[in-house]
Amino acid sequence: MHLLVIEDDPKLQQMLQRLLGGDQHIVELADDASSGIELAQDVPGIEAVILDVGLPDRSGFEVAAELRRRGNRVPILMLTARDTIGDRVSGLDAGADDYLVKPFAYAELVARLRALARRSNGAPVLAGTRLVIGPITLDDGRREVSVDGRRIQLTPREFSLLEFLMRHPGQALTRDQLLDHAWPFGSFLTTNAVDAYVHYLRDKLGPPAARRIETVRGVGYRMADG
Ligand code: CA
């Protein structure tokens, strides 16, 4: 994989470069937010970003938000030393796709990166399937979503969440089901993350399309197909 590591700790930087490089990954390095954003935008073919939350100039949350604002949809794996729900939700809201709490095992980092890349490539789904519910159209093959014909930009995680909902129209899905589908390697996350993502998804869909994702009290969420 072609990876971008945005991390200011020289020890961790060196370790990641040595291990990832040894596994035949191509690694670009940035040690602050501004050079990280520049590299993410300018270097072609980057497949995933490993992003530290604590950077000297701006936070990793701001980096993720800035990349999404610029329409960059590269999968982002956030690294944080702080293991709190608040931090995780901020990161997910900012546009990160997954989380890893420091210190982490290298094998787990690699597993997460593979999962992110697989989902963003859309490999497991049938190519060219188009799902249409009300004003929302989801094109699997192209990984595109539009509302009333207007394209909207989703992160890989938001996309798989919406896809799962649209593949089960009219069905109440539990937070655990949604979590299992969209976070196969993220079992450490709580179901609060699902709420954060649904919130984000509704925001991007905008009214009235957002109302299609109904909250089912005591259960989870449902895509209304009527
Ligand atoms: Ca740091």
Side-chain angles (χ1 to χ4, degrees):
M1 286 179 77
H2 191 173
L3 303 168
L4 169 61
V5 174
I6 309 176
E7 166 62 71
D8 61 317
D9 175 354
K11 272 193 196 145
L12 189 52
Q13 218 186 61
Q14 279 165 24
M15 186 202 85
L16 288 173
Q17 189 168 37
R18 186 169 46 81
L19 291 171
L20 291 166
D23 279 349
Q24 314 304 320
H25 298 289
I26 304 166
V27 182
E28 312 284 345
L29 287 173
D31 48 21
D32 60 29
S34 50
S35 58
I37 291 169
E38 234 169 78
L39 284 178
Q41 291 293 93
D42 296 347
V43 178
I46 289 179
E47 292 159 274
V49 176
I50 299 169
L51 174 61
D52 184 32
V53 169
L55 294 168
D57 47 348
R58 295 161 77 185
S59 78
F61 302 135
E62 290 173 274
V63 173
E66 178 65 28
L67 289 175
R68 298 310 183 218
R69 246 196 312 278
R70 296 182 185 200
N72 190 321
R73 299 175 63 204
V74 66
I76 298 175
L77 176 64
M78 278 232 178
L79 301 180
T80 177
R82 292 164 293 178
D83 182 15
T84 66
I85 294 302
D87 275 356
R88 287 175 184 167
V89 172
S90 311
L92 299 174
D93 273 343
D97 299 284
D98 205 353
Y99 246 94
L100 205 49
V101 176
K102 292 179 183 177
F104 53 85
Y106 176 67
E108 185 167 19
L109 174 79
V110 171
R112 298 283 179 88
L113 288 172
R114 286 214 185 93
L116 283 184
R118 220 173 20 238
R119 281 197 296 272
S120 70
N121 291 337
V125 290
L126 285 169
T129 309
R130 259 171 107 242
L131 303 170
V132 181
I133 291 182
I136 309 167
T137 301
L138 181 145
D139 186 322
D140 251 349
R142 298 175 177 215
R143 308 292 287 174
E144 285 177 5
V145 175
S146 56
V147 177
D148 285 326
R150 175 183 53 90
R151 278 280 301 280
I152 58 168
Q153 299 289 336
L154 300 181
T155 65
R157 185 59 44 78
E158 291 160 1
F159 186 94
S160 51
L161 194 59
L162 180 64
E163 184 188 3
F164 190 63
L165 285 162
M166 289 180 75
R167 284 189 182 281
H168 301 85
Q171 220 175 300
L173 300 167
T174 66
R175 288 179 176 79
D176 281 327
Q177 284 176 311
L178 294 166
L179 199 62
D180 282 351
H181 176 81
W183 279 265
F185 288 91
S187 50
F188 64 96
L189 284 174
T190 72
T191 49
N192 287 350
V194 174
D195 297 332
Y197 257 105
V198 167
H199 174 79
Y200 211 44
L201 201 49
R202 281 176 173 154
D203 249 19
K204 289 192 176 177
L205 291 171
R211 282 202 290 275
R212 294 265 165 183
I213 304 178
E214 297 173 343
T215 304
V216 184
R217 276 193 66 181
V219 182
Y221 297 96
R222 173 174 54 215
M223 177 62 72
D225 59 349

